[in-house]
Amino acid sequence: MEFEKMRIESIELLCLMEKELPTSFFNVQEHLLIHLVDEIAVVGVLSSRWMFFFERYMKVLKGFVRQKARLEGSMVEGWLVYESLCYTTEYLSIIDLMAPRIWTDKDNKKIFGKVQKAREVTKIEM
């Protein structure tokens, strides 16, 4: 009941302001007052102005910045690398190591040839 009273008072206040002030004074912010009362009634006072999760997420994004001249692109690139690494590590954790492979070590030797061993140097002569 208290919120309904606050809503009515905010509407009356807005009407009184419209009487006294020119129309160029009003924009969306003044009209927002009516909807804020409804929002507080629905979600409560704390959650209507608590920005903790958004601020925490912005801190993560700001950590991805490497090039100060292009902040947004740097954030996007950093987030893309982060997501790619997360996806890759998830994928690699479910691979069966004993599964048959398309490419084997035997095929590598055919392409690259024999692996040569380094010679042993016993004495350096000057």
Side-chain angles (χ1 to χ4, degrees):
M1 299 304 161
E2 183 179 333
F3 290 112
E4 187 61 33
K5 182 181 173 190
M6 288 172 57
R7 185 172 185 275
I8 292 170
E9 286 178 0
S10 66
I11 293 171
E12 289 175 358
L13 176 66
L14 190 59
C15 290
L16 290 172
M17 287 173 63
E18 286 175 354
K19 277 184 184 179
E20 300 297 325
L21 298 169
T23 55
S24 61
F25 173 78
F26 295 99
N27 59 16
V28 177
Q29 293 298 324
E30 284 75 24
H31 180 73
L32 184 66
L33 180 64
I34 298 169
H35 297 292
L36 282 177
V37 175
D38 293 334
E39 185 180 347
I40 290 171
V42 172
V43 295
V45 178
L46 180 63
S47 59
S48 66
R49 56 184 114 153
W50 197 33
M51 299 291 291
F52 175 73
F53 296 112
F54 177 74
E55 290 170 0
R56 188 170 178 187
Y57 180 67
M58 286 305 295
K59 181 182 183 298
V60 170
L61 288 180
K62 285 179 184 178
F64 291 135
V65 173
R66 297 289 175 251
Q67 184 181 9
K68 303 257 186 213
R70 309 239 189 281
L71 296 173
E72 294 88 1
S74 188
M75 283 181 193
V76 169
E77 185 180 3
W79 185 254
L80 183 66
V81 167
Y82 175 75
E83 284 291 315
S84 300
L85 287 174
C86 287
Y87 177 75
T88 305
T89 53
E90 271 188 44
Y91 175 73
L92 290 176
S93 67
I94 60 171
I95 289 179
D96 182 18
L97 297 176
M98 303 312 268
R101 305 294 170 142
I102 296 173
W103 194 270
T104 63
D105 291 333
K106 188 174 160 182
D107 296 331
N108 279 341
K109 289 178 186 171
K110 287 180 186 176
I111 293 172
F112 296 112
K114 291 181 180 178
V115 177
Q116 296 181 356
K117 293 183 180 178
R119 294 182 310 185
E120 232 179 80
V121 178
T122 56
K123 186 177 180 184
I124 300 176
E125 294 181 19
M126 295 181 158

